[in-house]
Amino acid sequence: MNAADLPITPRVLAHVFGEPVHAFPHDLYIPPEALQVLLTEFEGPLDLLLYLIRKQNIDILNIPMSQVTTQYMAYVEAMEACHIELAAEYLLMAAMLIEIKSRLLVPKPSVEIDFDTDVEDPRAELMRRLLEYEQMKLAAQALDALPQAERDFSWVCVAFEPEHIELLPDVNLVDLKLAWMGLLARNRQIQHHVIASEQLSVRAQMAHILRVIANGRYYELNELFDMQQGVPLLVVTFIAILELVKERLISVTQYAVLTPVYVQLIAAKSAKA
C-alpha cells in the first residue's frame, strides 16, 4: 500500500461541547481589535517612561527626547486604538514630553555665552521625577520581597501547659555573703563606727543565740544581730552562727533566691518531724 492510498484525516480546529470542529463557520466574524493584546501594564506615565528608558539601556541623565517621545506616543495611540480609557495623567505627560522636545529643537540665540551662568536643561525636572520614582519602585519591590505572614508563611501557635514546681534552693556561701554584706550596709546607715576596747567571746555569743532560738520557731537571720552594738559584735555573731552550723546545732534555710535567710534549732526541727 502506498502513502497516497492512506485516508486523509481532517485537521481539528477546536472542540465545541466535545465535538471536533474541522472548519470555520461561514458566518464567523472576528473584529480586528479582538486579536490585539496589550502585553505590558504600567502603573502610570512615569512607569511607562522608565520602562522605555531601561529597555533600551538609555542613560536617564541624558534622555534622547525625540526617540522617547515617539515611543511614548506610539504606546498612547495603541491604547486609544484598543479603546482603552486613558487616564488624564498619561495625556499630561504626553504634552510635557512634546513641550520638552520642542524646547530642545528650538535653535539657541546667537549671543555671547556667559560661562558663569548655568543654562537650565529642559529635561532636568523630568529626570528628577524619574530618578525619585525609580528609587521608590525599587524600595517597594524590596519590601514586597520580604516574607509576609499569611502569604509566605502562616502563624504557628504552640500551646504550653504551665507546670509549677516549687524549688527550695540550698543556702550556699554566696547567699551568706550577700546577707552579711546587707547587714553591714544597714549598720553603716544606723550609726558610725566607734573603736572601743571590748572583750567579745564567740562561745558566749553561740550560747546567746541558742537561748534566743530555743523555742524552736524560725528566726530571720537579721533578728539575731543587734545593730546598735557596732560592727565587732556583728562579726562575732556571724562567726558564732557559722560555728553553730558547723557543729550541726542550727539549720539555715532559704525559700527562694534573694529571699530572707532563716535559722532554726536542729533539735526543735527533729522534734517536730
Side-chain angles (χ1 to χ4, degrees):
M1 179 180 294
N2 298 327
D5 298 333
L6 294 176
I8 300 175
T9 303
R11 183 169 59 94
V12 177
L13 299 177
H15 287 80
V16 179
F17 299 108
E19 297 295 331
V21 176
H22 303 286
F24 290 108
H26 298 290
D27 56 348
L28 178 63
Y29 172 73
I30 301 177
E33 62 271 11
L35 299 181
Q36 296 180 4
V37 181
L38 193 62
L39 298 179
T40 308
E41 294 183 359
F42 301 98
E43 298 178 357
L46 287 176
D47 196 21
L48 172 57
L49 275 178
L50 189 63
Y51 168 78
L52 295 175
I53 291 172
R54 293 308 184 197
K55 180 181 178 181
Q56 301 176 79
N57 198 20
I58 297 175
D59 185 5
I60 200 170
L61 299 178
N62 187 19
I63 303 174
M65 294 306 303
S66 178
Q67 178 182 352
V68 173
T69 303
T70 301
Q71 295 176 355
Y72 182 89
M73 295 304 300
Y75 180 83
V76 172
E77 292 173 359
M79 293 180 66
E80 292 178 346
C82 295
H83 304 286
I84 297 176
E85 184 178 356
L86 282 175
E89 55 186 4
Y90 280 92
L91 301 179
L92 181 62
M93 179 59 71
M96 181 180 178
L97 292 175
I98 294 174
E99 179 189 3
I100 296 174
K101 178 182 177 181
S102 302
R103 291 175 61 183
L104 292 175
L105 293 176
V106 172
K108 297 179 176 56
S110 57
V111 295
E112 184 178 355
I113 300 176
D114 186 2
F115 293 98
D116 296 332
T117 304
D118 294 334
V119 179
E120 182 182 359
D121 192 340
R123 302 169 295 178
E125 178 64 18
L126 178 62
M127 291 185 294
R128 183 189 63 80
R129 291 175 59 184
L130 283 172
L131 289 174
E132 291 180 354
Y133 177 79
E134 185 176 31
Q135 291 178 356
M136 291 187 292
K137 184 175 182 179
L138 293 176
Q141 292 175 356
L143 287 176
D144 186 64
L146 296 176
Q148 296 183 15
E150 305 303 335
R151 187 194 70 175
D152 303 315
F153 63 90
S154 300
W155 293 109
V156 178
C157 297
V158 181
F160 293 93
E161 295 185 1
E163 183 178 356
H164 178 70
I165 300 177
E166 184 178 2
L167 297 177
L168 299 178
D170 297 332
V171 179
N172 52 32
L173 293 177
V174 177
D175 298 323
L176 291 175
K177 178 182 177 182
L178 292 175
W180 169 245
M181 297 301 294
L183 289 170
L184 290 179
R186 284 193 292 272
N187 182 74
R188 283 193 295 267
Q189 295 174 359
I190 294 175
Q191 65 180 12
H192 296 288
H193 177 64
V194 179
I195 300 176
S197 176
E198 184 179 0
Q199 297 295 329
L200 298 174
S201 173
V202 175
R203 284 293 171 182
Q205 195 63 20
M206 291 171 62
H208 172 71
I209 294 173
L210 291 176
R211 286 194 299 271
V212 172
I213 66 174
N215 57 5
R217 74 177 182 87
Y218 281 97
Y219 281 83
E220 190 173 346
L221 185 64
N222 298 341
E223 297 178 277
L224 303 180
F225 292 83
D226 190 356
M227 298 296 180
Q228 305 296 331
Q229 299 301 320
V231 175
L233 183 59
L234 294 179
V235 175
V236 173
T237 304
F238 190 77
I239 295 175
I241 291 174
L242 294 178
E243 288 294 330
L244 290 172
V245 173
K246 180 179 178 182
E247 295 179 10
R248 299 185 180 277
L249 295 176
I250 63 174
S251 63
V252 182
T253 57
Q254 187 181 35
Y255 292 100
V257 178
L258 301 180
T259 57
V261 178
Y262 292 91
V263 178
Q264 185 189 31
L265 191 65
I266 289 182
K269 186 177 181 180
S270 302
K272 289 182 180 181

